[in-house]
Amino acid sequence: GAFWSCTALEEANLPASLKTIGKSAFYACSKLTSINLPDSLTEIGDFAFDGCSSLTSVALPGKVTSIGFAAFVRCSSLMSVTIPNSVTEIGEAAFNECSSLTSVIIPNGVTSIKNYTFWGCSSLTSIIIPNSVTEIGEFAFEQCTSLTSVTIPDNMTDIWDGAFVSCSSLTSV
């Protein structure tokens, strides 16, 4: 909670030595529009950017291996996120309610799309799930009302309850 509810904070330039953004670090920084993430960063903690409703894009550096639980939940202006190939874990509800998010490329190292990961991403139109993913969690894409196309790899073993509930525009799987 280092910058918890700093509601006037608009920009953050983090030091080159930073390795981890901890739990709830920028929680409810509703005016944060820009964040410069250093190349040294390896981990985004749980709820790190929860409620950063003015954040429009995020480019994660190439050393990041994990995105925490609900890390970007309620980032309603987030339109794009670049997830590097170094990421092997995307936490449950990581992008929940990112209603402006239009596309996401999931890296090949990710093995599971966890519960509620993209719940309520109502602008998401298509998703390609890499061959490394073998499981799609409960309600992972629920309320993705603009989702028209999903590509599921041949080696998928589990698609859990409600994974694509209320995806009313889905025409191709």
Side-chain angles (χ1 to χ4, degrees):
F3 300 99
W4 182 294
S5 289
C6 290
T7 56
L9 182 64
E10 295 179 12
E11 181 180 348
N13 292 304
L14 303 173
S17 58
L18 189 68
K19 293 182 180 178
T20 301
I21 294 178
K23 184 176 182 179
S24 302
F26 292 92
Y27 181 90
C29 292
S30 58
K31 289 188 180 174
L32 184 66
T33 58
S34 174
I35 186 145
N36 179 19
L37 301 174
D39 290 338
S40 58
L41 191 66
T42 60
E43 182 180 347
I44 308 286
D46 297 348
F47 304 101
F49 296 97
D50 180 354
C52 292
S53 56
S54 297
L55 194 60
T56 58
S57 67
V58 174
L60 300 178
K63 290 183 182 175
V64 172
T65 58
S66 67
I67 300 170
F69 176 86
F72 293 95
V73 69
R74 299 181 304 132
C75 291
S76 57
S77 296
L78 188 63
M79 291 185 284
S80 68
V81 62
T82 303
I83 303 173
N85 288 333
S86 56
V87 171
T88 58
E89 183 175 348
I90 299 173
E92 189 170 317
F95 298 99
N96 189 305
E97 295 185 64
C98 291
S99 57
S100 296
L101 191 61
T102 57
S103 68
V104 174
I105 297 172
I106 298 171
N108 276 322
V110 174
T111 59
S112 173
I113 296 173
K114 303 209 186 288
N115 300 344
Y116 304 97
T117 300
F118 296 101
W119 185 96
C121 292
S122 56
S123 296
L124 190 63
T125 57
S126 68
I127 188 113
I128 297 172
I129 300 169
N131 288 332
S132 59
V133 174
T134 59
E135 176 181 47
I136 297 174
E138 291 182 348
F139 309 103
F141 295 96
E142 181 180 0
Q143 298 293 325
C144 291
T145 55
S146 295
L147 189 62
T148 60
S149 173
V150 176
T151 302
I152 297 174
D154 290 337
N155 62 330
M156 183 67 60
T157 59
D158 297 296
I159 299 176
W160 292 98
D161 297 345
F164 295 95
V165 158
S166 297
C167 292
S168 55
S169 298
L170 193 58
T171 58
S172 173
V173 176

